[in-house]
Amino acid sequence: MTEPVFRCPDHGVTTAQECPECGGNTRKLLGGERRRRLSKFVSGALRHFPEEAGLELDRGGWTDYDDLARVVKNKYDWADRELLDAVVETDPKGRFESGDDGQIRAAYGHSVDVDLDAGVDDSADREDDIPDRLFHGTDPANLDSIRAEGLQPMGRQRVHLSGTTEEAREVGRRHAKNPVVLETDAAGMLADGLPIAKRGESTYTCEAVPPEYLNVRAE
Ligand code: HQG
């Protein structure tokens, strides 16, 4: 269940009913269900259907925040810029990145063709931040195929991995009731020159994971 968002008059938005900074009263800004819907729509528009939503993404996946706020307002009669700000600011997975010059993009998850490293010359620095092991939750029905060809991006531009087994299981639950968790030898991939990037709070992406770097994680 998605938590509501509250606003403290002095310290801004929070998902706690009492402001974590001053312990003072907050007012409810956005209910859980509307927060979930808004986040899903914005994620979809920035990852999968920008054109249909009326947005133009540049090579790096960026679009103008003002345009997005307009699109959101047209889509939902109850939504406005303040609620969009709240969804973006409180996203627990860091799904959205704010750029210079009032731009926004999805941090990961794209099916549209973007290059998140476009115009960035220090992308290799991201590799300092990669844990030795990463995890991927999936439907057990995919295992034979994954054992044969490794993890492939399927409908997206990249394969997505999680920082913990719990998060991977949660991702896998989107596909199956009893997902299986695969462990990835991320250190081995990096040592062999297969790049991995950290995106958002705890999501890691790569072009593919060949089968020799994968193990089914025992419960
Ligand atoms: C599977 C969410 C057969 C793969 C999450 C997965 C993530 C194969 C499915 C992000 C395969 C693709 C992405 C192969 C991969 N044979 N099946 N060779 N290779 N698969 O939804 O990783 O909450 O495109 O195991 O947290 O589940 O939206 O990818 O089951 O970070 O922000 O093909 O989406 O983020 O499914 O999820 P998806 P995903 P948000």
Side-chain angles (χ1 to χ4, degrees):
M1 217 191 66
T2 309
E3 295 171 312
V5 181
F6 303 89
R7 175 181 285 291
C8 166
D10 297 323
H11 301 106
V13 290
T14 165
T15 51
Q17 204 161 355
E18 274 180 13
C19 173
E21 289 197 44
C22 63
N25 283 338
T26 58
R27 87 179 151 87
K28 188 165 167 184
L29 195 60
L30 184 60
E33 179 51 26
R34 286 186 169 183
R35 180 184 179 206
R36 194 189 63 79
R37 275 165 65 193
L38 194 47
S39 171
K40 232 177 140 70
F41 171 72
V42 173
S43 296
L46 296 175
R47 293 170 176 181
H48 309 303
F49 50 85
E51 221 172 291
E52 198 185 314
L55 294 171
E56 205 174 310
L57 305 192
D58 70 10
R59 188 72 197 122
W62 298 101
T63 196
D64 278 341
Y65 195 79
D66 289 343
D67 290 346
L68 179 64
R70 215 170 305 124
V71 160
V72 156
K73 228 174 137 95
N74 287 339
K75 169 86 183 166
Y76 300 110
D77 56 9
W78 46 264
D80 60 13
R81 194 185 180 104
E82 186 187 22
L83 299 192
L84 175 63
D85 291 350
V87 165
V88 168
E89 263 182 64
T90 60
D91 188 90
K93 291 171 82 171
R95 291 181 175 92
F96 311 108
E97 279 177 24
S98 300
D100 306 331
D101 308 325
Q103 291 185 306
I104 184 167
R105 73 176 179 184
Y108 60 88
H110 299 81
S111 59
V112 292
D113 182 16
V114 294
D115 173 5
L116 296 182
D117 289 326
V120 179
D121 47 36
D122 62 348
S123 55
D125 290 354
R126 288 175 182 272
E127 297 193 351
D128 295 345
D129 219 8
I130 311 291
D132 287 351
R133 286 155 205 275
L134 290 170
F135 305 93
H136 179 88
T138 190
D139 185 335
N142 294 332
L143 273 184
D144 284 350
S145 158
I146 291 173
R147 280 200 182 100
E149 58 186 42
L151 287 172
Q152 298 294 329
M154 311 306 275
R156 302 187 197 254
Q157 297 283 307
R158 288 281 183 276
V159 165
H160 290 67
L161 303 170
S162 303
T164 65
T165 53
E166 292 74 24
E167 287 164 306
R169 195 159 291 115
E170 205 53 50
V171 174
R173 265 194 213 108
R174 291 160 46 255
H175 301 289
K177 232 178 171 174
N178 291 307
V180 60
V181 172
L182 300 166
E183 185 174 288
T184 302
D185 175 11
M189 284 179 64
L190 292 178
D192 294 342
L194 301 176
I196 301 174
K198 184 173 185 193
R199 305 287 179 192
E201 290 295 326
S202 180
T203 299
Y204 300 83
T205 64
C206 56
E207 265 183 30
V209 182
E212 58 268 33
Y213 300 98
L214 289 169
N215 266 311
V216 174
R217 172 101 181 162
E219 291 304 307

